[in-house]
mmCIF file with all atom_site columns, all heavy atoms in Angstrom:
data_model
loop_
_atom_site.group_PDB
_atom_site.id
_atom_site.type_symbol
_atom_site.label_atom_id
_atom_site.label_alt_id
_atom_site.label_comp_id
_atom_site.label_asym_id
_atom_site.label_entity_id
_atom_site.label_seq_id
_atom_site.pdbx_PDB_ins_code
_atom_site.Cartn_x
_atom_site.Cartn_y
_atom_site.Cartn_z
_atom_site.occupancy
_atom_site.B_iso_or_equiv
_atom_site.pdbx_formal_charge
_atom_site.auth_seq_id
_atom_site.auth_comp_id
_atom_site.auth_asym_id
_atom_site.auth_atom_id
_atom_site.pdbx_PDB_model_num
ATOM 1  N N   . VAL A 1 37 ? 2.015  24.462 11.396 1.00 0.00 ? 37 VAL A N   1
ATOM 2  C CA  . VAL A 1 37 ? 3.025  24.631 10.362 1.00 0.00 ? 37 VAL A CA  1
ATOM 3  C C   . VAL A 1 37 ? 4.251  23.784 10.692 1.00 0.00 ? 37 VAL A C   1
ATOM 4  O O   . VAL A 1 37 ? 4.826  23.909 11.771 1.00 0.00 ? 37 VAL A O   1
ATOM 5  C CB  . VAL A 1 37 ? 3.428  26.123 10.233 1.00 0.00 ? 37 VAL A CB  1
ATOM 6  C CG1 . VAL A 1 37 ? 4.486  26.304 9.168  1.00 0.00 ? 37 VAL A CG1 1
ATOM 7  C CG2 . VAL A 1 37 ? 2.200  26.974 9.929  1.00 0.00 ? 37 VAL A CG2 1
ATOM 8  N N   . GLU A 1 38 ? 4.652  22.937 9.742  1.00 0.00 ? 38 GLU A N   1
ATOM 9  C CA  . GLU A 1 38 ? 5.828  22.095 9.968  1.00 0.00 ? 38 GLU A CA  1
ATOM 10 C C   . GLU A 1 38 ? 7.088  22.947 9.910  1.00 0.00 ? 38 GLU A C   1
ATOM 11 O O   . GLU A 1 38 ? 7.130  23.980 9.249  1.00 0.00 ? 38 GLU A O   1
ATOM 12 C CB  . GLU A 1 38 ? 5.887  20.967 8.945  1.00 0.00 ? 38 GLU A CB  1
ATOM 13 C CG  . GLU A 1 38 ? 5.942  21.443 7.526  1.00 0.00 ? 38 GLU A CG  1
ATOM 14 C CD  . GLU A 1 38 ? 5.567  20.397 6.500  1.00 0.00 ? 38 GLU A CD  1
ATOM 15 O OE1 . GLU A 1 38 ? 4.742  19.514 6.786  1.00 0.00 ? 38 GLU A OE1 1
ATOM 16 O OE2 . GLU A 1 38 ? 6.106  20.485 5.394  1.00 0.00 ? 38 GLU A OE2 1
ATOM 17 N N   . HIS A 1 39 ? 8.100  22.503 10.625 1.00 0.00 ? 39 HIS A N   1
ATOM 18 C CA  . HIS A 1 39 ? 9.378  23.205 10.649 1.00 0.00 ? 39 HIS A CA  1
ATOM 19 C C   . HIS A 1 39 ? 10.236 22.752 9.476  1.00 0.00 ? 39 HIS A C   1
ATOM 20 O O   . HIS A 1 39 ? 10.015 21.680 8.919  1.00 0.00 ? 39 HIS A O   1
ATOM 21 C CB  . HIS A 1 39 ? 10.088 22.941 11.987 1.00 0.00 ? 39 HIS A CB  1
ATOM 22 C CG  . HIS A 1 39 ? 9.349  23.526 13.137 1.00 0.00 ? 39 HIS A CG  1
ATOM 23 N ND1 . HIS A 1 39 ? 8.417  22.810 13.863 1.00 0.00 ? 39 HIS A ND1 1
ATOM 24 C CD2 . HIS A 1 39 ? 9.373  24.762 13.668 1.00 0.00 ? 39 HIS A CD2 1
ATOM 25 C CE1 . HIS A 1 39 ? 7.908  23.595 14.798 1.00 0.00 ? 39 HIS A CE1 1
ATOM 26 N NE2 . HIS A 1 39 ? 8.470  24.784 14.711 1.00 0.00 ? 39 HIS A NE2 1
ATOM 27 N N   . PRO A 1 40 ? 11.239 23.545 9.098  1.00 0.00 ? 40 PRO A N   1
ATOM 28 C CA  . PRO A 1 40 ? 12.138 23.123 8.018  1.00 0.00 ? 40 PRO A CA  1
ATOM 29 C C   . PRO A 1 40 ? 12.832 21.809 8.378  1.00 0.00 ? 40 PRO A C   1
ATOM 30 O O   . PRO A 1 40 ? 13.222 21.589 9.528  1.00 0.00 ? 40 PRO A O   1
ATOM 31 C CB  . PRO A 1 40 ? 13.151 24.271 7.931  1.00 0.00 ? 40 PRO A CB  1
ATOM 32 C CG  . PRO A 1 40 ? 12.465 25.450 8.546  1.00 0.00 ? 40 PRO A CG  1
ATOM 33 C CD  . PRO A 1 40 ? 11.559 24.884 9.608  1.00 0.00 ? 40 PRO A CD  1
ATOM 34 N N   . VAL A 1 41 ? 12.968 20.936 7.387  1.00 0.00 ? 41 VAL A N   1
ATOM 35 C CA  . VAL A 1 41 ? 13.533 19.606 7.608  1.00 0.00 ? 41 VAL A CA  1
ATOM 36 C C   . VAL A 1 41 ? 14.925 19.686 8.231  1.00 0.00 ? 41 VAL A C   1
ATOM 37 O O   . VAL A 1 41 ? 15.237 18.926 9.151  1.00 0.00 ? 41 VAL A O   1
ATOM 38 C CB  . VAL A 1 41 ? 13.540 18.810 6.283  1.00 0.00 ? 41 VAL A CB  1
ATOM 39 C CG1 . VAL A 1 41 ? 14.300 17.510 6.434  1.00 0.00 ? 41 VAL A CG1 1
ATOM 40 C CG2 . VAL A 1 41 ? 12.109 18.538 5.830  1.00 0.00 ? 41 VAL A CG2 1
ATOM 41 N N   . GLY A 1 42 ? 15.763 20.606 7.768  1.00 0.00 ? 42 GLY A N   1
ATOM 42 C CA  . GLY A 1 42 ? 17.104 20.752 8.339  1.00 0.00 ? 42 GLY A CA  1
ATOM 43 C C   . GLY A 1 42 ? 17.071 21.074 9.814  1.00 0.00 ? 42 GLY A C   1
ATOM 44 O O   . GLY A 1 42 ? 17.889 20.578 10.596 1.00 0.00 ? 42 GLY A O   1
ATOM 45 N N   . LYS A 1 43 ? 16.103 21.899 10.224 1.00 0.00 ? 43 LYS A N   1
ATOM 46 C CA  . LYS A 1 43 ? 15.975 22.260 11.637 1.00 0.00 ? 43 LYS A CA  1
ATOM 47 C C   . LYS A 1 43 ? 15.525 21.056 12.478 1.00 0.00 ? 43 LYS A C   1
ATOM 48 O O   . LYS A 1 43 ? 15.984 20.869 13.600 1.00 0.00 ? 43 LYS A O   1
ATOM 49 C CB  . LYS A 1 43 ? 14.998 23.430 11.789 1.00 0.00 ? 43 LYS A CB  1
ATOM 50 C CG  . LYS A 1 43 ? 14.953 24.012 13.176 1.00 0.00 ? 43 LYS A CG  1
ATOM 51 C CD  . LYS A 1 43 ? 14.191 25.326 13.153 1.00 0.00 ? 43 LYS A CD  1
ATOM 52 C CE  . LYS A 1 43 ? 14.195 25.988 14.487 1.00 0.00 ? 43 LYS A CE  1
ATOM 53 N NZ  . LYS A 1 43 ? 15.414 26.696 14.811 1.00 0.00 ? 43 LYS A NZ  1
ATOM 54 N N   . ILE A 1 44 ? 14.646 20.228 11.911 1.00 0.00 ? 44 ILE A N   1
ATOM 55 C CA  . ILE A 1 44 ? 14.185 19.024 12.616 1.00 0.00 ? 44 ILE A CA  1
ATOM 56 C C   . ILE A 1 44 ? 15.370 18.091 12.861 1.00 0.00 ? 44 ILE A C   1
ATOM 57 O O   . ILE A 1 44 ? 15.553 17.571 13.964 1.00 0.00 ? 44 ILE A O   1
ATOM 58 C CB  . ILE A 1 44 ? 13.079 18.311 11.802 1.00 0.00 ? 44 ILE A CB  1
ATOM 59 C CG1 . ILE A 1 44 ? 11.858 19.231 11.626 1.00 0.00 ? 44 ILE A CG1 1
ATOM 60 C CG2 . ILE A 1 44 ? 12.674 16.999 12.470 1.00 0.00 ? 44 ILE A CG2 1
ATOM 61 C CD1 . ILE A 1 44 ? 10.899 18.785 10.543 1.00 0.00 ? 44 ILE A CD1 1
ATOM 62 N N   . ILE A 1 45 ? 16.201 17.915 11.832 1.00 0.00 ? 45 ILE A N   1
ATOM 63 C CA  . ILE A 1 45 ? 17.379 17.050 11.976 1.00 0.00 ? 45 ILE A CA  1
ATOM 64 C C   . ILE A 1 45 ? 18.355 17.647 12.988 1.00 0.00 ? 45 ILE A C   1
ATOM 65 O O   . ILE A 1 45 ? 18.854 16.948 13.870 1.00 0.00 ? 45 ILE A O   1
ATOM 66 C CB  . ILE A 1 45 ? 18.054 16.822 10.614 1.00 0.00 ? 45 ILE A CB  1
ATOM 67 C CG1 . ILE A 1 45 ? 17.133 15.988 9.714  1.00 0.00 ? 45 ILE A CG1 1
ATOM 68 C CG2 . ILE A 1 45 ? 19.406 16.137 10.783 1.00 0.00 ? 45 ILE A CG2 1
ATOM 69 C CD1 . ILE A 1 45 ? 17.589 15.885 8.280  1.00 0.00 ? 45 ILE A CD1 1
ATOM 70 N N   . ASP A 1 46 ? 18.614 18.954 12.884 1.00 0.00 ? 46 ASP A N   1
ATOM 71 C CA  . ASP A 1 46 ? 19.534 19.612 13.819 1.00 0.00 ? 46 ASP A CA  1
ATOM 72 C C   . ASP A 1 46 ? 19.048 19.504 15.261 1.00 0.00 ? 46 ASP A C   1
ATOM 73 O O   . ASP A 1 46 ? 19.829 19.248 16.174 1.00 0.00 ? 46 ASP A O   1
ATOM 74 C CB  . ASP A 1 46 ? 19.716 21.089 13.458 1.00 0.00 ? 46 ASP A CB  1
ATOM 75 C CG  . ASP A 1 46 ? 20.508 21.303 12.187 1.00 0.00 ? 46 ASP A CG  1
ATOM 76 O OD1 . ASP A 1 46 ? 21.164 20.350 11.714 1.00 0.00 ? 46 ASP A OD1 1
ATOM 77 O OD2 . ASP A 1 46 ? 20.454 22.434 11.651 1.00 0.00 ? 46 ASP A OD2 1
ATOM 78 N N   . ASN A 1 47 ? 17.734 19.701 15.466 1.00 0.00 ? 47 ASN A N   1
ATOM 79 C CA  . ASN A 1 47 ? 17.163 19.647 16.814 1.00 0.00 ? 47 ASN A CA  1
ATOM 80 C C   . ASN A 1 47 ? 17.105 18.225 17.362 1.00 0.00 ? 47 ASN A C   1
ATOM 81 O O   . ASN A 1 47 ? 17.163 18.013 18.566 1.00 0.00 ? 47 ASN A O   1
ATOM 82 C CB  . ASN A 1 47 ? 15.756 20.240 16.834 1.00 0.00 ? 47 ASN A CB  1
ATOM 83 C CG  . ASN A 1 47 ? 15.745 21.740 16.637 1.00 0.00 ? 47 ASN A CG  1
ATOM 84 O OD1 . ASN A 1 47 ? 16.748 22.417 16.840 1.00 0.00 ? 47 ASN A OD1 1
ATOM 85 N ND2 . ASN A 1 47 ? 14.605 22.263 16.223 1.00 0.00 ? 47 ASN A ND2 1
ATOM 86 N N   . GLY A 1 48 ? 16.914 17.259 16.473 1.00 0.00 ? 48 GLY A N   1
ATOM 87 C CA  . GLY A 1 48 ? 16.764 15.875 16.916 1.00 0.00 ? 48 GLY A CA  1
ATOM 88 C C   . GLY A 1 48 ? 15.387 15.583 17.489 1.00 0.00 ? 48 GLY A C   1
ATOM 89 O O   . GLY A 1 48 ? 15.185 14.563 18.131 1.00 0.00 ? 48 GLY A O   1
#
Side-chain angles (χ1 to χ4, degrees):
V37 180
E38 59 198 31
H39 294 92
V41 172
K43 189 168 184 79
I44 299 164
I45 293 171
D46 289 345
N47 290 340

